[in-house]
Amino acid sequence: MPGTSGMAQEGHSDGRLAIIAGRGLLPLYLAQAARAEGENPFIVALKDEADHRFDGFEIISVGVGNLAAIEKSFRELKIGRVVMSGGVARRPEWRDIRPTLKTILSMPSVVRTLMSHGDDTVLQMVIKLIEGMGCTVIGAHEIAPGLLARLGPLGHMSPTGDDLRDIAIGVEAALALGHLDIGQGAVSVGGRVVAMEGVEGTDAMLQRVAELRIGGRISARRRGVLVKLCKPQQDMRADLPTIGPSTVENAARAGLAGIAVEAGRALVLEEAALISAADAAGIFVCGIDPTLENGGLS
C-alpha cells in the first residue's frame, strides 16, 4: 500500500490527481499548487529519479518501468487525472519493465520504442499506457498556469539588436532539432549555432559552451543566446521546456547575453529568484513567439 497519508480532501470531480515525479523542483511545485486549490495529490516518486522530499503528501516510490505497481495504486486510490513532471535521466531497460495485464500484448512495441525512438515518441507511448489505466493525462500548466512564460522580458535587461539576430538563428536551430525529436534548445553566438541540446540536457550543453569559450573556440567578444522551444510535434501534456535560476547561472558561466523561451509553451520555475539572478548577472530572460518577427519583441 502507498505510504504516508496527507490530510487534504479527496480531490476533484474528475477523479483524484496523481503526480508522477522525476528530477527537479517541478513535481513539488505542482503538488503544492494542487494542494492550494484544495486537492489531495498522490505522488508517484520514480526511484533513482525523484530528488526532492514530499513531506505531508501521500506517496509511493516505484521504478520507472513498474507499470503494474502504478496501476494498482491508481485503481485503489481512484486516480482519475495524472500529470507527468520532472526529468528522467535513464530510460528503463526491458528487464526493468513490470507490465500490467493490458500491456503484456504490447510489450514488443513498448521495448522497441524505448530502445530506438526519441523522447517525444516515448512520452506519447507513456501517455497511452496511462490512459489505458483509465486515467486522463493532463499538462503541468493545467495545474499551475502561473508557471508559463509570458511574452517579453522578465527582468530589467532586454535583448539588443545583435541578441535578436542570435535569437532568430537559435529559433531556426531549435525547431530543426525538435523536428528530429532530439532536444529543445540551441545556443547561437554571433549569428552562428555553437551548441544544440542532446540527451545530456540544457545544463550540460551550457557547460559545454563554457568550456568551448574557455578553450578559445568561441570568441570572448561575442556573448550569444540560449533559445528553448517546444518541439513542433510536442504534446503540451509532457516535457515542456523549463528554466529556473540554475539555467541563468549556467548561462552566465557560459558568457551568454541571455535566454529566450517560448511564451505560453515553456515553464519558468522560481521566477522571482530567476529574475534576481538574471539582473545580478546582467543577462536578459524573455518569452518569445517564434512565429513573429523578432520573436514578438519590440
Side-chain angles (χ1 to χ4, degrees), residues 184-214:
Q184 299 171 322
V187 174
S188 173
V189 178
R192 178 170 68 102
V193 176
V194 300
M196 301 177 78
E197 182 185 34
V199 296
E200 81 276 20
T202 302
D203 288 342
M205 175 182 65
L206 291 174
Q207 176 61 36
R208 182 155 39 95
V209 173
E211 292 168 358
L212 289 170
R213 199 179 290 277
I214 291 171

Side-chain angles (χ1 to χ4, degrees), residues 20-23 44-50 60-71 84-99 110 114 122-123 125-126 129-130 133:
I20 299 179
R23 294 174 183 269
V44 180
L46 300 178
K47 287 182 180 177
D48 301 319
E49 299 290 352
I60 185 174
S61 179
V62 300
V64 69
N66 196 343
L67 302 173
I70 292 172
E71 183 179 46
M84 301 188 297
S85 62
V88 175
R90 185 184 72 86
R91 294 187 184 187
E93 301 289 341
W94 66 267
R95 63 179 66 86
D96 298 327
I97 300 173
R98 302 291 183 268
V110 169
L114 286 171
V122 171
L123 288 170
M125 178 199 70
V126 172
L129 291 173
I130 293 172
M133 299 177 188

Side-chain angles (χ1 to χ4, degrees), residues 154-156 245 248-249 270-283 285:
L154 300 188
H156 294 311
V248 170
E249 292 166 7
E270 297 183 273
E271 182 175 314
L274 177 146
I275 291 172
S276 177
D279 288 344
I283 69 176
V285 179

Side-chain angles (χ1 to χ4, degrees), residues 67 94 97-100 103-113:
L67 302 173
W94 66 267
I97 300 173
R98 302 291 183 268
T100 66
T103 58
I104 286 175
L105 292 178
S106 64
M107 280 299 294
S109 171
V110 169
V111 172
R112 281 197 302 271
T113 300

Side-chain angles (χ1 to χ4, degrees), residues 1-292:
M1 289 293 293
T4 312
S5 176
M7 298 303 293
Q9 67 182 31
E10 279 304 312
H12 190 278
S13 60
D14 296 327
R16 189 174 176 188
L17 174 69
I19 299 173
I20 299 179
R23 294 174 183 269
L25 282 167
L26 179 58
L28 182 58
Y29 289 161
L30 295 181
Q32 292 169 340
R35 175 165 284 178
E37 293 299 317
E39 298 213 47
N40 178 22
F42 173 60
I43 311 300
V44 180
L46 300 178
K47 287 182 180 177
D48 301 319
E49 299 290 352
D51 52 4
H52 287 278
R53 296 175 61 89
F54 293 88
D55 294 339
F57 292 95
E58 191 171 4
I59 184 171
I60 185 174
S61 179
V62 300
V64 69
N66 196 343
L67 302 173
I70 292 172
E71 183 179 46
K72 180 175 183 290
S73 294
F74 285 1
R75 184 174 62 251
E76 291 174 347
L77 297 171
K78 297 181 172 57
I79 299 298
R81 295 161 299 133
V82 178
V83 60
M84 301 188 297
S85 62
V88 175
R90 185 184 72 86
R91 294 187 184 187
E93 301 289 341
W94 66 267
R95 63 179 66 86
D96 298 327
I97 300 173
R98 302 291 183 268
T100 66
L101 289 175
K102 294 177 183 177
T103 58
I104 286 175
L105 292 178
S106 64
M107 280 299 294
S109 171
V110 169
V111 172
R112 281 197 302 271
T113 300
L114 286 171
M115 296 302 108
S116 61
H117 288 76
D119 288 346
D120 190 68
T121 304
V122 171
L123 288 170
Q124 286 298 313
M125 178 199 70
V126 172
I127 288 172
K128 289 178 182 177
L129 291 173
I130 293 172
E131 289 175 338
M133 299 177 188
C135 301
T136 299
V137 178
I138 61 176
H141 61 289
E142 297 177 69
I143 303 299
L147 294 179
L148 286 172
R150 60 185 181 273
L151 186 66
L154 300 188
H156 294 311
M157 307 298 295
S158 296
T160 66
D162 286 343
D163 297 330
L164 290 175
R165 285 188 286 274
D166 274 331
I167 289 173
I169 296 297
V171 164
E172 291 180 9
L175 289 175
L177 193 67
H179 273 298
L180 296 173
D181 193 9
I182 295 173
Q184 299 171 322
V187 174
S188 173
V189 178
R192 178 170 68 102
V193 176
V194 300
M196 301 177 78
E197 182 185 34
V199 296
E200 81 276 20
T202 302
D203 288 342
M205 175 182 65
L206 291 174
Q207 176 61 36
R208 182 155 39 95
V209 173
E211 292 168 358
L212 289 170
R213 199 179 290 277
I214 291 171
R217 299 293 301 276
I218 298 175
S219 170
R221 298 192 305 274
R222 299 181 183 274
R223 298 188 67 187
V225 173
L226 164 66
V227 175
K228 291 197 72 171
L229 306 177
C230 273
K231 298 173 184 176
Q233 73 279 13
Q234 184 149 352
D235 191 319
M236 286 279 288
R237 293 175 293 176
D239 195 32
L240 291 183
T242 303
I243 61 171
S246 66
T247 317
V248 170
E249 292 166 7
N250 287 322
R253 290 191 191 102
L256 300 184
I259 300 167
V261 295
E262 189 167 359
R265 283 162 58 86
L267 302 176
V268 179
L269 304 185
E270 297 183 273
E271 182 175 314
L274 177 146
I275 291 172
S276 177
D279 288 344
I283 69 176
F284 67 83
V285 179
C286 62
I288 62 169
D289 183 338
T291 68
L292 299 179

